[in-house]
């Protein structure tokens, strides 16, 4: 079965052929890719859609098997030279998306500020008096932000970060692949149904856009691959930074769990527990993100030590059946 990578090569070739007045009814004509069409594509100013390197292929085949690129290997595109494996992963240059990267960006929330009366609201207009939106807009592009957030809050390791690129929705996006410890505090009923690993591979996509000169919108979306039914949902977070009337900025955060696959009936209990624990960890995650972002902006963050995800999960387990807490307002 052909993969998304090859479909897009076909689509790209069809577009270039049509622009040149060539009949693309023949499948053979459609699939063939000439050096001229590749050169024309390289000169196109539109965002690239793929970053084709061996590490991304291996990640896709392991954690997004529906996007495996066996057909690409059949075309003789495998990399054999060791120096070709040395792909830079931390810079601010434009990048081309892999198939799985593009698929993940298509699952991101809409790049707009959610309503303030949404049930997903976790933090409402927290005051950040020492940092402006312009400073945050510049800082968000630094590698230290996503890397520091994952290391400090998720206690992640083996972090690999892609370059920045543009998404079809107009966001600047990048992806990080990493390994993280998995909190072990789960209800006994769930523990009897599924095995919880001590660590898991995970993927997070971060995007940002300036919705106005006075607002920066940041989106996070995480898939934790090895947890029970981890491929069935995405944790989605929307963070808004707005210019405050008295100087500095304000911070608001919304968190939700998006289920992209149905669970078997025997595992239905996992759904409310996942949503409850995600919400419980969201406030601390927001504070950790602010701390890292302010540090990247060169601003002293007047925040206490932020608890890790593992610590938050442990403290939340005892009250997992309680009603959701009200959002934090105006800290």
């Amino acid at each position: 079965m052909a993969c998304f990578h090859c479909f897009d090569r076909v689509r790209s070739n069809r577009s270039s052929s049509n622009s040149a007045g060539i009949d693309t009814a023949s499948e053979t004509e459609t699939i063939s890719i000439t050096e001229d069409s590749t050169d024309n594509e390289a000169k196109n100013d539109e965002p690239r859609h793929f970053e084709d390197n061996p590490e991304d292929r291996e990640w896709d085949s392991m954690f997004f098997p529906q996007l495996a690129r066996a057909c690409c290997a059949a075309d003789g595109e495998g990399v054999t030279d060791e120096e070709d494996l040395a792909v830079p992963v931390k810079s601010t240059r434009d990048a081309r998306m892999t198939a799985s990267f593009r698929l993940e960006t298509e699952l991101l929330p809409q790049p707009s500020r959610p309503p303030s009366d949404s049930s997903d609201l976790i933090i409402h207009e927290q005051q950040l008096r020492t940092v402006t939106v312009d400073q945050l807009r510049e800082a968000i592009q630094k590698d230290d932000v996503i890397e520091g957030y994952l290391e400090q809050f998720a206690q992640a390791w083996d972090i690999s970060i892609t370059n920045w690129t543009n998404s079809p929705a107009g966001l600047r996006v990048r992806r990080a692949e990493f390994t993280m410890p998995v909190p072990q505090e789960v209800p006994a009923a769930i523990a009897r149904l599924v095995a919880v690993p001590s660590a898991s591979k995970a993927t997070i996509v971060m995007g940002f856009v300036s919705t106005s000169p006075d607002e920066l919108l940041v989106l996070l979306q995480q898939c934790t691959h090895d947890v029970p039914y981890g491929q069935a949902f995405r944790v989605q977070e929307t963070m808004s930074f707005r210019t405050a009337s008295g100087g500095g900025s304000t911070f608001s955060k919304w968190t939700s769990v998006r289920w992209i696959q149905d669970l078997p009936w025997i595992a239905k209990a996992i759904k409310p527990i996942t949503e409850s624990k995600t919400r419980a960890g969201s406030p601390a995650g927001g504070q950790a993100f602010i701390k890292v972002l302010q540090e990247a902006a060169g601003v002293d963050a007047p925040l206490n030590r932020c608890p890790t995800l593992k610590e938050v999960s442990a403290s939340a387990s005892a009250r997992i059946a309680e009603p959701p807490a009200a959002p934090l307002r105006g800290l």
Side-chain angles (χ1 to χ4, degrees), residues 59 63 146 150 154-160 176-181 200-205 222-225:
W59 189 269
F63 300 113
I146 189 168
L150 292 174
Q155 297 181 297
W157 66 92
D158 291 340
I159 302 172
S160 175
E177 300 154 353
F178 57 99
T179 304
M180 61 177 288
S200 173
K201 297 288 187 181
T203 302
I204 193 168
V205 174
Q222 180 167 325
C223 174
T224 311
H225 300 281

Side-chain angles (χ1 to χ4, degrees), residues 126-130 287 290-291 294 299-304:
Q126 176 179 344
Q127 296 292 319
L128 305 176
R129 296 181 176 86
T130 60
Q287 301 311 302
I290 292 172
K291 181 176 182 294
Q294 289 189 133
V299 176
D300 290 334
L303 296 171
N304 296 325

Side-chain angles (χ1 to χ4, degrees), residues 155-167:
Q155 297 181 297
W157 66 92
D158 291 340
I159 302 172
S160 175
I161 308 171
T162 69
N163 302 326
W164 287 104
T165 188
N166 296 324
S167 77

Side-chain angles (χ1 to χ4, degrees), residues 30 40 93 131 136 139 141 186 199 214 223 235 272-273 327:
T30 303
N40 291 336
R93 295 178 300 170
V131 64
L136 296 172
Q141 303 179 60
V186 296
D214 294 323
C223 174
V235 174
I273 292 173

Side-chain angles (χ1 to χ4, degrees), residues 10 47 86 120 132 139 141 157 192 272 286 294 306 308 313 325 328-329:
V10 170
D120 296 332
T132 67
Q141 303 179 60
W157 66 92
R192 287 194 292 267
Q294 289 189 133
C306 299
T308 65
S313 179
L328 304 178
R329 297 184 180 274

